[in-house]
Amino acid sequence: MGLKIMKKQHLLKLPILEIFGPTFQGEGRAIGQKTMFVRTGGCDYHCDWCDSAFTWDGSEKPTMMTSDQIIEALDKLGTYDYVTLSGGNPCLLAANMAQLVSKLKKRQVTLAVETQGSRWQEWLKAIDQVTLSPKPPSSKMKVNLQTLDFIVSNLDPQKVTYKIPIFDEADLAFAQMIQERYQPDVLYLSVGNPEPKASGDIVQNQLKRLKKLWEHIAQDDSWGNVRVLPQLHTLVYDNKRGV
């Protein structure tokens, strides 16, 4: 029986849309961090301004890969000691993702995950840097705060980053609520990209939005410790994928 279980586990597969790098993290606490990315397919949210809608809208079909195949693909890209698991929502995946996490940790890889905080998985406890990005009203999604409370209560606070994309005043009010509710050491606000499908140069529009948000936050002393950052990858690569 034990051998059959081990064989079954070995064949666990993950829906993978992209494996790319080396590149750099473009936002949040790890901004500027050199990393590889593993992007999974599937998401329980369909945000109005999603910049990765191909992960859930059916426009692209993921490749089903075992953890060993994913690691082999990473190895072909070059040497690495930091991997970011993104999506979609990688927290939709249970035992199959737990297996990949375990194998990467055995190789002494620092692991980061990006999720909206809508699903709990035990493997999150093994992640070094968990970025929780609850989606604000502009996404047209509804956050289940009880689920988010449960996730937060089960993680080491020193490993959690809270990051919220900002598009309007309602988003700012939501961000303040998150700050008051969870009291993070730092709350990271990123300037949202309302042009996720635009081709060509979006830099000037992004910089204008960043300037406006900087000035707004600077004049409002009701905030706690907050950092307002660009989505750095949009300034360097516009909406190009796989970078």
Side-chain angles (χ1 to χ4, degrees):
M1 178 65 72
L3 288 175
K4 289 183 179 179
I5 292 175
M6 287 179 65
K7 185 175 181 181
K8 185 177 180 181
Q9 284 185 334
H10 182 71
L11 295 176
L12 289 174
K13 293 186 177 182
L14 290 155
I16 302 299
L17 281 163
E18 293 183 309
I19 299 175
F20 63 93
T23 185
F24 293 88
Q25 176 58 259
E27 53 190 324
R29 191 188 299 269
I31 194 168
Q33 169 69 52
K34 187 178 180 181
T35 184
M36 299 291 195
F37 273 90
V38 175
R39 187 184 298 281
T40 61
C43 193
D44 49 330
Y45 278 20
H46 296 169
C47 294
D48 199 51
W49 34 251
C50 181
D51 62 1
S52 303
F54 63 91
T55 63
W56 52 262
D57 66 7
S59 61
E60 296 187 26
K61 185 177 180 180
T63 300
M64 301 305 297
M65 301 177 68
T66 66
S67 55
D68 288 338
Q69 288 172 331
I70 293 168
I71 291 171
E72 182 181 358
L74 287 168
D75 289 346
K76 287 180 179 178
L77 293 173
T79 59
Y80 58 94
D81 57 12
Y82 193 107
V83 172
T84 301
L85 306 173
S86 187
N89 184 7
C91 288
L92 294 179
L93 305 164
N96 43 0
M97 182 61 82
Q99 187 180 79
L100 175 64
V101 167
S102 176
K103 289 185 176 183
L104 286 171
K105 292 304 296 180
K106 286 179 181 177
R107 292 172 57 136
Q108 306 299 311
V109 173
T110 298
L111 289 178
V113 69
E114 299 176 331
T115 177
Q116 63 264 43
S118 60
R119 298 289 183 93
W120 168 254
Q121 298 291 352
E122 282 294 319
W123 55 260
L124 282 169
K125 292 180 179 179
I127 301 297
D128 300 286
Q129 296 181 9
V130 178
T131 295
L132 297 176
S133 184
K135 303 311 180 189
S138 62
S139 69
K140 298 184 181 177
M141 297 291 107
K142 185 172 178 60
V143 174
N144 186 323
L145 290 173
Q146 286 68 44
T147 299
L148 188 57
D149 288 347
F150 178 82
I151 292 170
V152 169
S153 69
N154 279 277
L155 292 174
D156 180 349
Q158 295 185 346
K159 294 183 177 181
V160 177
T161 294
Y162 298 82
K163 177 179 67 66
I164 300 174
I166 301 298
F167 290 83
D168 55 33
E169 291 284 347
D171 291 355
L172 284 168
F174 174 85
Q176 284 198 315
M177 179 276 292
I178 292 294
Q179 187 172 55
E180 292 169 6
R181 189 179 186 95
Y182 300 111
Q183 299 291 306
D185 60 334
V186 182
L187 177 65
Y188 290 82
L189 304 182
S190 64
V191 180
N193 174 16
E195 306 173 286
K197 295 183 179 180
S199 59
D201 187 354
I202 66 170
V203 172
Q204 289 307 311
N205 286 339
Q206 285 295 88
L207 289 175
K208 287 177 183 177
R209 283 187 279 271
L210 177 62
K211 180 175 182 286
K212 182 178 179 180
L213 186 57
W214 268 8
E215 292 174 348
H216 184 98
I217 298 295
Q219 295 168 9
D220 185 349
D221 60 8
S222 67
W223 289 92
N225 192 8
V226 63
R227 293 184 190 174
V228 181
L229 298 174
Q231 291 182 332
L232 191 59
H233 50 286
T234 66
L235 303 184
V236 178
Y237 295 111
D238 299 301
N239 284 323
K240 185 178 179 181
R241 280 175 53 181
V243 290

